[in-house]
Amino acid sequence: MSRTTATVATSLPDQWEELVTTALLGTDRRTPPGVAPGPQAPSALLDAAAAATVRRRAGLRPARPAGRLRPAPEDPRPPLPPAAARRLAALLADRPGASGGGRRGAAPDLMELLPQWLQAANTRGYAAPPQALPALLDAARGRTDLRPAALRFAGPRALWLARLNPDWRFALRAAAPGGGPSAPDLRDPQGIRRLWQEGLFAERVTLLTALRSRDAAAARALLEETWATERAEDRLMFLDSLRAGLGPDDETFLERALADRSRNVRATAAELLSALPASALAARMAVRAAACVAVDRTQDVPTVVVEAPHECDAAMERDGVVAKAPAGRGERSWWLGQLVEAAPLGTWPGRLGGRTPEEIVALPVADGWQGELHGAWCRAAVRQRDAEWSRALLGEPSAPEAGGPGAVSLAERARLLATLDTGERAAWVAGFIETHGLSEAFQLLGVCAVPWAPPLGRAVVDALNIARDAGSYPWSFSGVMGLAERCLDPSEASRLDALLAIPDEPEDAAPGAGSYWSEAFQRLVTTLRLRGAMLAELAPEEPAP
């Protein structure tokens, strides 16, 4: 390099910074070097900047060429039918309105139908159209609830794209148990061990969860190998993966975890052991809980009496009982609830006079302990997936206490319903709505299988119609109406046509309620027909004769 060239190259950064500073300040306050102030200064500044730009570019050394991108992997799944591909593009193009409020109108909310469309497409095993992948990843980026289904549908090409765009890196971190795009190859034992030893935390969680669904013992053995060296927060997440396929063979490992140095790990291990009614921890809890609950037969009506624990000793703490009660809770009631919750439900018929769960729940409870005792039995029934106890605690849906304050809250009833099969669950909620209406049914509807069974769908529509005819405030039912749009069977659409007219408004009705109800039912019918069309488009095409 000559001395002149070196001098020019050295001065270029300084000259460029001077030009940038002049442009920021304006030529009326500062002029480029060697240029007189005046109307020609702006043009002179631009000329100097253009010349400096050419010199800067001429002085750059060519960069090393990047390697050619590998082609995206093939997706072996069958392609979407053309009509379904067009429908997907329309769903992805729809975006929520910027206003965020006000009346929704009669048009369906397409983004709320996207999760259902993805579920149906994944059930049928279709591959995503390549041109839809960017919009699909953008949608999953904005809505975490969409990610598992969206990434499963997007397939291996989603990961290929995610490595090229930082906005889509979430796809590389997402766990996808059950065969999603980031699921490990479980047919490669050496790859499994290498990934477990060297992988990122999210990759290891994905591996453990996927392996657990296929071979519970192998997943547990993998975890045991490195358990002592894992961080506490990682141990907690890994332990949580044992919920899938939990069985008696896990007891020995979980018993050792009861001595873990992390309180959260100990609590999770105790919870898992209490879900195994035959475990040693469950037996210990049964002894403790049974000592606190008995039947007093000296009264005219047999009554359950409760004597809550007076202390929480070290053995109870080791078995997962949290000693310190939350604010506003008494210590003794707090300890009692934990003992009863963790005790096997099979403890109580023998302890309480050979009674069935239904008979036990019907017994009066002395001294105001009913809420605490029944609440703990609810948590035990959910944890142990005991349908018989769930039915007893739920009671009849037409009972007066089912629709209002009682020993078992609506939130607890919703969790109990989840332990029943889908048909029984829908029938109970339908009976509840027929007796108590929709005002308290939202939580219960959320645990019912989609599409709703015909009796449940009819109960919801009839209750909405009754509310409309009564002149009820329409906006208070918008949540249930939104659920109905997503959950009613599409075949119900034709039955709703009679509800589309604007009804006569009673004198005490909310202003404009009639037109709102008509608009809402119009949207419901339109959405149901759209859902029916979506499912029909995803049906495999018949081969030409």
Side-chain angles (χ1 to χ4, degrees):
M1 180 183 293
S2 68
R3 182 175 179 180
T4 302
T5 304
T7 301
V8 170
T10 304
S11 66
L12 279 178
D14 294 339
Q15 184 185 11
W16 180 256
E17 293 299 327
E18 177 70 21
L19 293 172
V20 170
T21 302
T22 301
L24 292 172
L25 292 174
T27 54
D28 55 338
R29 299 176 58 189
R30 183 171 181 169
T31 55
V35 177
Q40 300 303 318
S43 298
L45 173 62
L46 293 177
D47 291 342
T53 299
V54 172
R55 289 198 296 271
R56 282 163 59 86
R57 291 178 177 175
L60 290 176
R61 292 184 177 181
R64 187 180 298 276
R68 175 177 292 182
L69 283 176
R70 291 184 177 182
E74 293 295 327
D75 193 331
R77 297 174 295 178
L80 277 175
R86 291 192 294 271
R87 180 73 65 189
L88 173 62
L91 294 176
L92 291 172
D94 189 67
R95 289 291 182 269
S99 62
R103 292 172 66 158
R104 289 175 49 196
D109 187 344
L110 299 186
M111 278 301 290
E112 288 303 314
L113 296 181
L114 182 57
Q116 201 167 105
W117 189 97
L118 289 170
Q119 180 183 6
N122 284 331
T123 300
R124 290 163 174 77
Y126 286 121
Q131 67 273 19
L133 290 176
L136 190 63
L137 286 167
D138 280 341
R141 179 190 175 210
R143 285 182 55 175
T144 56
D145 62 306
L146 280 179
R147 288 182 184 179
L151 293 179
R152 180 181 173 192
F153 177 62
R157 292 175 174 174
L159 295 184
W160 183 86
L161 278 176
R163 294 187 179 96
L164 305 177
N165 186 344
D167 289 344
W168 299 333
R169 290 293 172 86
F170 69 87
L172 303 177
R173 300 188 299 268
S182 58
D185 185 355
L186 301 181
R187 298 166 297 181
D188 179 10
Q190 292 183 348
I192 288 175
R193 184 167 297 279
R194 182 170 58 253
L195 181 59
W196 180 250
Q197 296 289 345
E198 303 173 4
L200 300 174
F201 172 69
E203 294 173 327
R204 299 177 74 210
V205 171
T206 301
L207 169 64
L208 191 65
T209 305
L211 185 59
R212 181 73 176 176
S213 65
R214 176 183 174 184
D215 188 339
R220 185 181 62 253
L222 199 66
L223 180 56
E224 287 182 293
E225 286 182 9
T226 60
W227 180 257
T229 61
E230 304 288 356
R231 301 182 305 166
E233 55 268 32
D234 294 352
R235 292 199 304 276
L236 182 62
M237 290 292 293
F238 292 146
L239 194 63
D240 200 60
S241 70
L242 298 187
R243 295 181 190 278
L246 182 67
D249 291 342
D250 298 315
E251 182 179 359
T252 302
F253 173 68
L254 292 172
E255 275 284 343
R256 290 201 301 270
L258 289 176
D260 196 90
R261 56 188 180 273
S262 166
R263 183 181 67 181
N264 291 333
V265 171
R266 294 195 302 270
T268 301
E271 180 189 344
L272 293 173
L273 283 167
S274 68
L276 298 172
S279 68
L281 178 137
R284 296 193 294 270
M285 289 298 198
V287 171
R288 295 175 181 129
C292 300
V293 182
V295 172
D296 183 357
R297 297 179 176 84
T298 64
Q299 302 187 39
D300 294 337
V301 177
T303 302
V304 176
V305 292
V306 173
E307 180 66 27
H310 289 274
E311 65 172 344
C312 180
D313 57 32
M316 289 169 61
E317 288 196 63
R318 182 185 181 277
D319 283 345
V321 177
V322 178
K324 186 175 181 180
R329 287 287 300 273
E331 283 187 332
R332 296 182 65 198
S333 65
W334 171 245
W335 299 332
L336 173 76
Q338 293 178 81
L339 295 181
V340 174
E341 176 182 351
L345 289 164
T347 302
W348 303 112
R351 175 61 176 163
L352 302 178
R355 293 175 170 83
T356 65
E358 187 174 356
E359 292 169 336
I360 291 171
V361 171
L363 289 173
V365 182
D367 301 325
W369 284 103
Q370 186 184 47
E372 187 66 55
L373 185 60
H374 283 209
W377 279 336
C378 285
R379 296 190 295 275
V382 171
R383 184 180 297 185
Q384 298 171 37
R385 308 296 297 176
D386 193 307
E388 185 180 10
W389 270 88
S390 293
R391 293 187 193 99
L393 290 159
L394 280 165
E396 291 297 324
S398 58
E401 64 271 14
V408 180
S409 68
L410 282 169
E412 288 168 332
R413 292 181 195 277
R415 289 189 285 270
L416 291 170
L417 282 168
T419 68
L420 306 180
D421 65 59
T422 57
E424 187 176 1
R425 197 183 313 167
W428 196 96
V429 178
F432 179 94
I433 292 171
E434 289 168 1
T435 303
H436 305 286
L438 288 170
S439 58
E440 301 293 341
F442 189 81
Q443 293 181 80
L444 307 179
L445 288 168
V447 299
C448 293
V450 177
W452 288 336
L456 177 57
R458 286 193 293 270
V460 171
V461 172
D462 290 345
L464 287 170
N465 193 24
I466 291 170
R468 180 190 68 161
D469 291 344
S472 298
Y473 192 66
W475 294 274
S476 61
F477 294 93
S478 59
V480 174
M481 189 67 79
L483 271 180
E485 291 171 20
R486 299 189 295 275
C487 303
L488 269 176
D489 192 307
S491 63
E492 294 287 314
S494 58
R495 199 171 68 86
L496 300 176
D497 285 337
L499 304 177
L500 301 182
I502 299 177
D504 295 331
E505 295 183 5
E507 292 182 1
D508 56 348
S515 61
Y516 176 92
W517 279 110
S518 176
E519 187 178 86
F521 278 119
Q522 178 66 58
R523 184 174 61 250
L524 175 58
V525 171
T526 304
T527 303
L528 292 179
R529 289 186 170 136
L530 176 57
R531 284 175 51 214
M534 282 168 34
L535 296 176
E537 291 162 357
L538 285 165
E541 294 182 327
E542 295 291 336

